[in-house]
Amino acid sequence: MRANRGLWLCLLSAVLLSTSARAQLVQLTCPGTEATHYEPGVTQTPRTVAFTGQSTLGPCVGLPLGVISASIQVVGSGVLSCSLGSSTFSMRIDWNDGTWSKVEGTSLINARPAGEMVIVLTGKVKEGRFLDATVVRTLTLLQTDLTACWTPEGVTDVAGAVTLTVTKLL
């Protein structure tokens, strides 16, 4: 009888833990900085471009309270130009508490007259912490060489501000 009670307690604990992991409320906003590399460079002529990016985020505000910072690695590709474009991406978020989230989604680029590229990435958490949460990542990346869009090499490296929001309401 004692062995059965231990088995039932283990099963009940597993059910409660899996339910709480799936039902976790998240409403986080994390500001930070981003560096992105394009290969080949982005020009005025739309072409297929691959990109990689790294972000450092914090301090995060919202829920859960223990999540205060994160780092991001993102890879993707799409048809991009200096003025417009869209792509798909895969992103790994490493949270300060040792957990992680894998996000997949799409992004849109919209250039602004002062040389900045505003990029909005939207996706869903597909693996890890905050499963099925909605993720929106807004980047304002500054081009230091305003004539690079008009060269054959194009814009290969940009950096700037990023804001990440992660939302899943029960």
Side-chain angles (χ1 to χ4, degrees), residues 42-45 82-83 143 145-152 154-155:
V42 180
T43 66
Q44 288 296 346
T45 304
C82 283
S83 56
Q143 297 174 203
D145 182 358
L146 296 179
T147 63
C149 285
W150 303 101
T151 66
V155 176

Side-chain angles (χ1 to χ4, degrees), residues 48-141:
T48 301
V49 175
F51 60 88
T52 58
Q54 289 119 14
S55 296
T56 302
L57 305 173
C60 299
V61 295
L63 298 171
L65 294 176
V67 178
I68 57 172
S69 64
S71 62
I72 292 177
Q73 299 287 324
V74 63
V75 297
S77 65
V79 176
L80 308 176
S81 75
C82 283
S83 56
L84 295 172
S86 64
S87 65
T88 59
F89 71 89
S90 177
M91 175 171 59
R92 180 181 166 109
I93 306 169
D94 289 298
W95 303 104
N96 66 286
D97 63 0
T99 61
W100 57 271
S101 303
K102 181 180 178 189
V103 179
E104 294 178 0
T106 60
S107 63
L108 293 174
I109 294 176
N110 184 359
R112 301 294 164 88
E116 69 270 26
M117 297 170 78
V118 177
I119 305 168
V120 179
L121 298 94
T122 56
K124 288 274 189 189
V125 176
K126 299 294 185 180
E127 294 179 43
R129 189 167 192 184
F130 309 130
L131 188 64
D132 295 325
T134 299
V135 175
V136 178
R137 193 165 158 251
T138 305
L139 300 103
T140 303
L141 304 176

